[in-house]
Amino acid sequence: MGFVDITGLDGVRTQGHEVVDVADITENAPELHRQLRLDERPHIEQVMIIKKANDRSVFRGKKLVMSRLHAEELILALMAYYGVPDRERLFTVYSDFSPCEARCDRKLPATTDRIFSARHGVGDYHGKMTRLLTEASQVLPKDPAFREELAAEKERKDALKEGNTKHRYETAAKANKVMRSGRGGHCGRHDHRAGLVLVPQAGAMGPECAESTATDTADTGLGKALAEPPSETTGGIDFSSLQLQYLADPGDGSGLQHAFRAAVNVSGRDLRPSSGLAAATQTSDAFFVWLSLHPHSFWVNLHPDEPDRIVDDQLGRTDAGRVLLEADLQMKKTVGKLIHPHTPLGKRYWDGIRGDCVSSRNWILPAPATVYQDDDKLYILDAPLDVKTETDDGAAAGAPSCLRQDQATEEHNEHLERTLLLPRLRKAINTAPEYAALRRVYLARVAAEWYRDLSLRKDTAYGELVNSGDITEWRITDGWKPRDTFDAHVDSYMKGEFKVTDRTTSGGTTYVRRYVYGGVDFTSVPLRELSEERFGTEFATLPASVDRSLRAPSVTGRGDAVWLGAPTPRQAVAGLGPAEKPVSAGTWAIRLLPALLVPFALLLWRRRRRLNTRSASPLRRAATGGGPRRRS
């Protein structure tokens, strides 16, 4: 593998390779830090690790399929491919044995360290393995026991391959159900238990639904990403960051087009397709809940004295209601960590508090969402969440309350909380993984708000669901009840998130501080629509990326995100228009690699020619006309 310095470089495509900060290596891998001599290279702050570098291939006639490159040469080629401009940025090559030949070693920059487990040649690991394999190839095929074992292994691999194929199909079929309701806008049979659409049946829905094959269910960007290993799609999708950011209704009753956005190549990413399927299903269910229920019911409330006003009765039977309640409880736990008196921030907070007692209430609500609407298409460009706070007397069953203090003291404490705690709390809610589900269902809320308005202006596939109040298809079936989260909150409130005893004697008085935090309010969604001019300037390539994602995963130009979409059910069966279907990222890589390697091959040829010219003798240069010339 190659360790490449990408400190300060913008626009480097890192998909398929790991990017780490030197600070992380220093803290978590001190031995690697020593081997890479990073203490001697203080200018290096961020590293890209090129791991897969042993591919070989050949010329076929004059066509370059892939150049015949050894690992060390391929690392340099990949640096150029991924946009690293300086060869000297390759500062370490790490391998199980030494470079293929001396000529390969010479192609590495002089500043590159070489760390190898063994040298090439007779007696090393590589030589021993070659001899063992040669001997085995001459003896084992004649051994009946070996032939029987080989046949059994082949049968095992065939069964494994068949099982993987079945698993991929099943996963793609489940992905095919996302953003579909059983009551309109579909092209298939209805599963009343799940409220979603299964694989279309031949002729079941009339001539508009052509006969479907097994591949139809996987022929979407989302389906392919969930059914294929990461290496076959984009090199590593963080499925925990999956969010709905595009929705369209063609107006022909065929259903919804949709596209999810997810991050790629981030530390701690979740590569499990099952997580992506769960996130997409959660978004889909929330979207239809937001459509079916009236907005006045989109709130939750955790207050120890109000067990009968936890959540709207209908919303409390859905996963969307559960997400809002659990996010409200999580917010209290986050605040508890922020104000812990034994942390630097907590100490600053408590040192700044005035008065004998402080109690406040926080709740989450939408900040203005930035969107772009193109007739029946919606692009959600940004949908942040906000946090509000206000002084509360803290009165609750079984706990003492904070008596009202003078207005100046309360205003001072409120200002301290708004400036010191709320910015960090707001950042956590908008970025931390423990709030990912809340962000997902909120994006579904933004999409549903737009779809409500669209349904007033034109016929839509799911317009009949708006304010219908029917959530039968999206009810929770795992036994969870809103009272479960309420009881967890009461337990947290009464016992406290932390118990710290810092005894301070001041006139024999003990000061007790208690808090009540609560509330998520999604009753209204402020939308800030982007102008066509600004959208064209700032997001010029987005529509094309989304369109490609309907059939295959589509990586953005910067390489930091991937779009996973799907056409409407009818479009999935009939084909998405006359245009050629987009190809997968892996196919594009194979197509583009020859063109990317040609400049590198020319560079090597020019360097070799220059070296040959320098090393030639004076006699040879004279014989070839390369000797000194005089101007007449």
Side-chain angles (χ1 to χ4, degrees):
M1 66 180 68
F3 290 83
V4 183
D5 172 24
I6 59 171
T7 304
L9 294 181
D10 295 326
V12 175
R13 293 172 293 170
T14 59
Q15 58 267 32
H17 297 290
E18 187 173 356
V19 174
V20 293
D21 293 331
V22 170
D24 292 338
I25 298 177
T26 305
E27 180 178 355
N28 301 315
E31 178 59 22
L32 179 61
H33 183 276
R34 184 191 65 79
Q35 290 183 332
L36 296 179
R37 295 198 297 134
L38 289 171
D39 55 337
E40 302 174 27
R41 299 176 166 116
H43 61 284
I44 298 179
E45 298 177 0
Q46 193 173 48
V47 177
M48 179 171 72
I49 306 175
I50 300 178
K51 291 183 177 180
K52 186 178 180 182
N54 288 308
D55 296 355
R56 294 189 182 184
S57 57
V58 296
F59 282 93
R60 294 177 182 172
K62 294 183 178 181
K63 184 178 180 181
L64 177 64
V65 179
M66 292 167 71
S67 69
R68 181 179 285 277
L69 297 176
H70 289 282
E72 299 75 25
E73 300 168 300
L74 187 54
I75 287 175
L76 294 172
L78 290 173
M79 285 175 60
Y81 171 69
Y82 288 112
V84 182
D86 187 358
R87 295 174 69 252
E88 303 298 322
R89 286 181 176 268
L90 176 65
F91 62 91
T92 301
V93 168
Y94 209 141
S95 181
D96 54 346
F97 47 78
S98 60
C100 53
E101 297 174 10
R103 64 180 178 84
C104 289
D105 200 19
R106 287 199 303 267
K107 292 174 182 176
L108 296 175
T111 55
T112 301
D113 288 342
R114 298 149 175 82
I115 302 176
F116 307 114
S117 301
R119 305 294 301 181
H120 274 280
V122 177
D124 70 359
Y125 169 81
H126 188 260
K128 289 179 181 178
M129 289 304 299
T130 300
R131 287 198 307 277
L132 287 173
L133 291 173
T134 302
E135 294 170 2
S137 66
Q138 297 171 354
V139 176
L140 289 177
K142 301 176 183 179
D143 185 349
F146 173 77
R147 294 171 64 90
E148 182 178 343
E149 187 176 345
L150 188 65
E153 179 65 11
K154 183 178 183 301
E155 183 178 352
R156 185 188 70 83
K157 288 186 176 181
D158 289 344
L160 183 63
K161 182 178 180 181
E162 182 180 353
N164 288 339
T165 301
K166 181 180 179 182
H167 171 72
R168 290 188 185 187
Y169 170 76
E170 290 175 347
T171 303
K174 291 177 181 177
N176 195 41
K177 301 176 184 179
V178 171
M179 301 305 294
R180 303 187 187 184
S181 165
R183 291 180 286 156
H186 62 274
C187 186
R189 62 186 175 86
H190 176 211
D191 180 354
H192 292 274
R193 181 169 45 83
L196 299 169
V197 177
L198 300 180
V199 181
Q201 301 280 302
M205 301 301 296
E208 70 275 15
C209 293
E211 183 176 359
S212 173
T213 64
T215 56
D216 286 330
T217 58
D219 197 16
T220 69
L222 179 63
K224 288 177 179 177
L226 296 179
E228 298 177 0
S231 60
E232 296 184 26
T233 52
T234 63
I237 301 171
D238 179 15
F239 285 115
S240 67
S241 67
L242 200 70
Q243 294 183 337
L244 177 69
Q245 294 195 231
Y246 169 80
L247 194 70
D249 187 323
D252 57 3
S254 66
L256 296 175
Q257 289 183 357
H258 59 276
F260 293 82
R261 186 180 185 273
V264 297
N265 298 311
V266 295
S267 60
R269 61 184 182 268
D270 187 345
L271 300 178
R272 297 171 300 172
S274 59
S275 298
L277 182 59
T281 302
Q282 184 178 63
T283 300
S284 177
D285 289 354
F287 172 79
F288 289 112
V289 168
W290 300 137
L291 277 187
S292 300
L293 297 182
H294 195 279
H296 66 63
S297 64
F298 299 160
W299 56 268
V300 300
N301 171 61
L302 287 181
H303 192 288
D305 274 350
E306 299 179 341
D308 298 326
R309 205 177 71 87
I310 304 171
V311 62
D312 176 81
D313 182 60
Q314 289 283 78
L315 183 63
R317 300 179 185 182
T318 69
D319 183 66
R322 170 164 56 183
V323 168
L324 264 62
L325 275 172
E326 291 182 347
D328 189 15
L329 179 59
Q330 179 60 49
M331 178 177 61
K332 295 163 177 50
K333 296 180 179 294
T334 301
V335 172
K337 294 178 181 179
L338 291 175
I339 66 174
H340 194 291
H342 287 177
T343 64
L345 179 65
K347 188 176 186 307
R348 287 177 57 195
Y349 174 73
W350 290 111
D351 288 346
I353 288 293
R354 294 178 183 173
D356 298 334
C357 183
V358 59
S359 182
S360 62
R361 175 179 177 269
N362 294 336
W363 68 99
I364 303 170
L365 73 167
T370 303
V371 301
Y372 176 73
Q373 304 180 55
D374 182 8
D375 192 21
D376 56 9
K377 299 177 181 179
L378 173 71
Y379 298 88
I380 305 175
L381 307 174
D382 187 32
L385 291 165
D386 199 3
V387 185
K388 296 295 183 182
T389 185
E390 67 180 8
T391 299
D392 186 39
D393 64 9
S401 62
C402 284
L403 300 177
R404 299 291 294 184
Q405 302 178 103
D406 64 274
Q407 185 174 356
T409 297
E410 291 189 350
E411 288 179 354
H412 168 82
N413 291 341
E414 279 191 14
H415 176 75
L416 183 68
E417 185 164 353
R418 287 194 179 98
T419 56
L420 198 62
L421 300 183
L422 256 59
R424 290 163 176 81
L425 182 57
R426 190 177 294 114
K427 180 180 179 181
I429 290 171
N430 283 288
T431 61
E434 57 265 30
Y435 295 97
L438 179 67
R439 295 192 293 270
R440 269 194 294 271
V441 300
Y442 173 55
L443 281 164
R445 172 76 176 97
V446 173
E449 185 70 13
W450 168 80
Y451 198 77
R452 285 169 170 274
D453 181 66
L454 182 69
S455 300
L456 293 175
R457 295 185 281 109
K458 59 184 293 187
D459 290 334
T460 59
Y462 300 117
E464 64 181 30
L465 296 180
V466 175
N467 294 338
S468 65
D470 185 0
I471 56 160
T472 305
E473 299 174 359
W474 303 287
R475 285 183 179 177
I476 288 178
T477 59
D478 60 6
W480 174 88
K481 302 181 296 296
R483 187 62 185 250
D484 296 339
T485 303
F486 175 82
D487 290 343
H489 165 62
V490 172
D491 188 62
S492 170
Y493 177 76
M494 299 303 297
K495 295 181 180 179
E497 287 299 316
F498 57 82
K499 289 187 177 181
V500 178
T501 303
D502 288 335
R503 298 192 179 279
T504 303
T505 303
S506 177
T509 303
T510 301
Y511 297 93
V512 180
R513 299 173 173 88
R514 297 184 184 275
Y515 296 84
V516 178
Y517 297 97
V520 179
D521 186 352
F522 280 0
T523 55
S524 63
V525 178
L527 298 181
R528 179 174 55 205
E529 187 173 356
L530 209 64
S531 68
E532 183 176 358
E533 182 180 359
R534 280 194 60 190
F535 182 77
T537 302
E538 300 176 17
F539 302 92
T541 62
L542 181 56
S545 295
V546 170
D547 289 344
R548 289 194 302 270
S549 78
L550 301 183
R551 287 299 188 189
S554 173
V555 180
T556 59
R558 294 179 299 176
D560 61 343
V562 58
W563 286 82
L564 312 171
T568 71
R570 188 180 302 163
Q571 290 172 340
V573 174
L576 190 61
E580 180 184 357
K581 293 182 180 180
V583 298
S584 68
T587 303
W588 274 119
I590 294 174
R591 291 184 181 181
L592 292 175
L593 191 56
L596 294 168
L597 289 176
V598 167
F600 180 71
L602 291 174
L603 177 63
L604 292 177
W605 175 79
R606 290 182 60 186
R607 185 177 180 186
R608 180 177 296 176
R609 183 178 181 186
R610 189 162 58 248
L611 289 173
N612 289 341
T613 303
R614 292 175 181 173
S615 61
S617 67
L619 182 61
R620 180 178 177 183
R621 288 199 299 270
T624 57
R629 295 184 180 179
R630 294 184 180 180
R631 296 182 62 182
S632 58

